[in-house]
């Protein structure tokens, strides 16, 4: 069974499992496995063709802003209006096939604006050129998510899910958890607050799933199992997002 099939099976099992006290450990383990498989999807392909022409844009200026959205929501028009760069815009989908950079000059600051190809549902699993688009988005300082005002909240939810699944956390701060693997001594667990979402047993089960049997863990806020997994994985990107 391939990674995509394993991810699909775990997502189905999580959806089927009703959340309650009896299932919290099982759900925690499922989420840990899901995060492991998704991390494998993010690993760069050994194939030179997978890199994708036009995606390796050098970071420049004082900040980098990534334009994220579904095809034909106005990203290219926005780039052409805001910068001196002309990005092709047309009434058909996928007009932009590579990453097109432009520069906004504002009060002495140079802001690099990237027009990225439209994301489609399943982008995080590699549909379209989704994985390459998302890899560029991870290098940005801010995400501008462009939405079609006629399509309600569904577009926003789908895009947030795609970015979330590859470790991009929008408008969130890093969980206040101290975590340090050790060479011995077992797992030392402490918290400075009352925990309502995680327990010592659940923390140990999640760590064991990652083959970690010796570590120091200190919760300084009431975090969820998902947030604890983010801390273990350690490659999460926390950035502000503007919705347009």
């Amino acid at each position: 069974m391939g990674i995509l099939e394993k991810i699909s099976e775990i997502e189905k099992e999580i959806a089927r499992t009703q959340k309650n006290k009896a299932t919290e450990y099982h759900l925690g383990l499922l989420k840990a496995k899901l995060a492991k498989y998704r991390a494998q999807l993010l690993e760069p392909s050994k194939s030179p063709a997978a890199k994708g022409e036009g995606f390796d844009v050098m970071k420049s200026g004082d900040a980098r802003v990534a334009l994220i959205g579904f095809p034909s929501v106005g990203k290219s028009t926005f780039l052409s209006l805001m910068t001196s760069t002309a990005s092709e815009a047309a009434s058909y989908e996928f007009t932009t096939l590579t990453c097109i950079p432009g520069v906004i000059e504002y009060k002495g600051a140079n802001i690099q604006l990237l027009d990225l190809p439209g994301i489609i549902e399943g982008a995080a699993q590699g549909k379209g050129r989704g994985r390459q688009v998302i890899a560029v988005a991870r290098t940005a300082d801010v995400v501008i998510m462009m939405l079609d005002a006629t399509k309600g909240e569904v577009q926003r939810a789908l895009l947030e899910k795609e970015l979330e699944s590859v470790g991009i956390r929008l408008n969130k701060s890093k969980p206040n958890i101290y975590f340090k693997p050790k060479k011995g001594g077992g797992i030392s667990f402490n918290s400075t607050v009352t925990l309502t979402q995680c327990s010592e047993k659940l923390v140990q089960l999640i760590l064991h799933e990652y083959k970690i049997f010796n570590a120091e863990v200190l919760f300084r806020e009431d975090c969820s199992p998902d947030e604890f997994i983010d801390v273990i994985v350690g490659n999460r990107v926390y950035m502000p997002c503007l919705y347009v």
Side-chain angles (χ1 to χ4, degrees):
M1 190 187 284
I3 293 175
L4 291 176
E5 287 81 8
K6 288 176 181 175
I7 287 173
S8 178
E9 284 298 311
I10 293 171
E11 284 176 337
K12 285 175 186 172
E13 191 171 348
I14 288 173
R16 283 196 302 266
T17 307
Q18 194 171 6
K19 190 177 179 184
N20 55 47
K21 205 73 180 164
T23 61
E24 65 175 345
Y25 301 126
H26 179 59
L27 279 170
L29 281 176
L30 287 175
K31 287 174 178 178
K33 285 179 180 173
L34 188 61
K36 274 172 68 178
Y37 289 133
R38 282 176 172 167
Q40 288 175 37
L41 277 183
L42 279 178
E43 289 169 7
S45 170
K46 293 184 175 74
S47 163
K51 193 174 181 185
E53 184 192 343
F55 282 84
D56 49 347
V57 175
M58 188 179 289
K59 198 168 184 175
S60 67
D62 301 290
R64 170 178 271 195
V65 178
L67 281 172
I68 292 282
F70 282 102
S72 296
V73 291
K75 296 186 299 297
S76 298
T77 305
F78 183 77
L79 181 88
S80 300
L81 284 169
M82 297 297 293
T83 73
S84 58
T85 305
S87 183
E88 188 183 346
S91 58
Y92 52 88
E93 294 190 345
F94 298 107
T95 320
T96 304
L97 297 174
T98 60
C99 177
I100 298 170
V103 176
I104 300 171
E105 292 179 15
Y106 182 72
K107 292 187 178 179
N110 289 328
I111 302 164
Q112 186 182 43
L113 187 63
L114 298 181
D115 179 18
L116 296 169
I119 283 183
I120 56 172
E121 196 174 349
Q125 278 76 46
K127 286 187 183 175
R129 303 185 82 172
R131 232 180 284 173
Q132 294 147 306
V133 173
I134 288 168
V136 175
R138 284 176 65 91
T139 69
D141 299 296
V142 179
V143 166
I144 290 182
M145 191 179 286
M146 294 207 69
L147 305 165
D148 184 338
T150 66
K151 296 192 175 163
E153 289 291 298
V154 64
Q155 275 196 348
R156 174 173 168 167
L158 287 170
L159 287 168
E160 284 176 344
K161 184 185 172 189
E162 292 297 331
L163 297 178
E164 188 92 8
S165 68
V166 291
I168 296 175
R169 303 291 180 256
L170 302 175
N171 297 331
K172 289 180 181 176
S173 54
K174 198 172 179 181
N176 194 355
I177 300 172
Y178 173 79
F179 168 69
K180 185 180 180 183
K182 299 186 297 183
K183 290 184 178 176
I187 292 168
S188 167
F189 176 85
N190 284 293
S191 67
T192 59
V193 294
T194 303
L195 300 181
T196 62
Q197 304 174 78
C198 259
S199 64
E200 184 174 355
K201 183 182 175 183
L202 182 53
V203 164
Q204 288 180 341
L205 285 170
I206 291 170
L207 287 172
H208 290 172
E209 179 63 34
Y210 281 90
K211 305 288 189 288
I212 298 169
F213 303 99
N214 302 286
E216 282 181 51
V217 179
L218 172 64
F219 276 66
R220 296 192 184 103
E221 63 180 340
D222 187 17
C223 295
S224 67
D226 299 278
E227 289 172 314
F228 179 57
I229 291 165
D230 283 351
V231 170
I232 297 170
V233 175
N235 67 349
R236 303 316 195 205
V237 179
Y238 298 85
M239 66 175 74
C241 175
L242 297 171
Y243 299 92
V244 180

